[in-house]
Amino acid sequence: MAKPKQEDPPKGSPAWMSTFSDLMNLLLCFFVLLFSMSTVDTEKFEMVVQSLQSTFSILPSGGSTIGDGELISSGVSMLEKFDIYFNSSSALPKGDEEPDDSVTNPDTTVTTEEAQETLENAGLTESEQMAEQVSRLLQSYGLENQVDVEFNEYYTLINLNGALLFNSGEATIREEVLPVMEKIAVILNNYTNNLIEIEGHTDNVPPAAGEQYSDNDILSMYRALNVANYIRDNTTLDPAHIKSSGRGSYVPIADNSTAEGRAKNRRVEIKIYNSLNSESLNN
């Protein structure tokens, strides 16, 4: 028996599809209408974008922050010094200090100028404390009139008169001054974690013909080296923390046209760098 012939389906889309399409069109029109009535806060949008850029370190060098000034993140060496500064700072007991809004406020920004000033002030304070300690020790040894002490934001400087240490045209430390050098070594032994740099300086009068050192550059270099070697041999400091250099007559501190000025320029400087500027020890 033959099967009955099935009827063809009605032509066109099903009725439900037309209803669904109308609904989608209405929803689209509705959201377009909402968007056209809304406004975009450009300032907040830029803040979000810059925040994302800073978080993922994709902001080009020298970019600007949301506030004024350059991003502190553009100065890598400065961030390293900030890490040293904050890690070396003594933490106060809880409750002794009010919370600092500048830390928790997301709108607060730090410019490179402010960061540099903070570091310089911190370094200056530490160097001043070291200078006071060195001065007290020198006074206890009776050397306050033979050695000058200065400081800046980078280091504390011990200035030794060249005529005190060496004979004219020579780089060997005089035996008579070894007791002084011994006390200087004891003082330096307190700074085991600091970079210590010894610089030799001369006046602008060239060595006489026939002397051991042909020019002031070489003479100053060997004078600094001999002082550095004495410190290495007579302290427990890491030898790698001590470096020396000869500066010749290029960095005078007095007028070379007078005998008094030339005497001041013939010197050996011992620079004790503070903790913020001793990071090169780890390089």
Side-chain angles (χ1 to χ4, degrees):
M1 181 177 178
K3 292 182 180 180
K5 183 179 179 181
Q6 295 181 353
E7 296 181 1
D8 294 332
K11 295 181 179 180
S13 300
W16 67 269
M17 289 189 66
S18 299
T19 303
F20 181 78
S21 298
D22 291 340
L23 177 61
M24 291 299 100
N25 287 332
L26 289 173
L27 287 174
L28 177 61
C29 293
F30 175 70
F31 284 114
V32 169
L33 181 62
L34 287 178
F35 182 78
S36 65
M37 295 172 62
S38 66
T39 59
V40 178
D41 191 329
T42 305
E43 183 178 356
K44 289 186 177 180
F45 178 76
E46 290 180 353
M47 290 174 65
V48 171
V49 171
Q50 293 196 29
S51 176
L52 290 173
Q53 289 175 328
S54 176
T55 301
F56 293 101
S57 301
I58 59 174
L59 191 65
S61 176
S64 60
T65 58
I66 297 169
D68 296 329
E70 296 179 352
L71 277 176
I72 186 174
S73 58
S74 64
V76 177
S77 61
M78 189 175 294
L79 284 177
E80 292 175 354
K81 291 185 179 182
F82 258 116
D83 180 61
I84 295 170
Y85 168 59
F86 286 115
N87 286 335
S88 62
S89 299
S90 299
L92 292 175
K94 293 181 179 179
D96 288 358
E97 194 174 64
E98 292 294 328
D100 189 351
D101 292 338
S102 65
V103 176
T104 57
N105 187 354
D107 293 332
T108 301
T109 58
V110 180
T111 66
T112 51
E113 292 81 5
E114 293 170 337
Q116 183 66 32
E117 183 178 359
T118 299
L119 288 171
E120 288 179 357
N121 290 336
L124 194 63
T125 300
E126 184 180 343
S127 294
E128 183 178 11
Q129 293 172 350
M130 290 194 302
E132 291 175 353
Q133 182 183 32
V134 170
S135 296
R136 286 195 300 269
L137 292 171
L138 288 171
Q139 187 173 7
S140 68
Y141 294 141
L143 300 177
E144 66 273 15
N145 295 326
Q146 296 176 271
V147 180
D148 295 327
V149 179
E150 302 173 12
F151 67 91
N152 58 28
E153 65 269 28
Y154 304 108
Y155 53 75
T156 294
L157 185 147
I158 301 174
N159 189 339
L160 302 173
N161 189 287
L164 173 71
L165 295 176
F166 312 102
N167 292 324
S168 179
E170 296 183 5
T172 303
I173 300 175
R174 298 167 57 212
E175 290 189 10
E176 307 92 281
V177 81
L178 289 179
V180 174
M181 288 302 303
E182 182 180 353
K183 294 179 175 62
I184 296 295
V186 172
I187 293 174
L188 295 178
N189 220 24
N190 294 305
Y191 303 100
T192 56
N193 296 320
N194 298 73
L195 175 66
I196 296 176
E197 182 177 15
I198 293 92
E199 289 185 354
H201 298 266
T202 67
D203 57 28
N204 65 346
V205 178
E211 290 190 349
Q212 182 178 0
Y213 303 102
S214 58
D215 59 50
N216 285 325
D217 292 348
I218 298 176
L219 175 61
S220 64
M221 179 184 68
Y222 275 99
R223 284 181 170 180
L225 178 62
N226 286 338
V227 172
N229 285 337
Y230 180 90
I231 294 172
R232 290 189 181 102
D233 295 338
N234 293 274
T235 66
T236 58
L237 298 174
D238 186 341
H241 294 186
I242 303 168
K243 65 179 183 178
S244 63
S245 61
R247 305 299 301 276
S249 60
Y250 305 114
V251 193
I253 58 174
D255 189 357
N256 274 313
S257 64
T258 65
E260 182 181 0
R262 291 192 295 272
K264 290 182 178 179
N265 290 332
R266 296 190 295 269
R267 68 197 189 277
V268 172
E269 296 180 345
I270 302 176
K271 298 178 179 179
I272 310 171
Y273 284 84
N274 57 49
S275 61
L276 295 178
N277 292 281
S278 292
E279 71 274 10
S280 59
L281 294 177
N282 300 320
N283 294 341

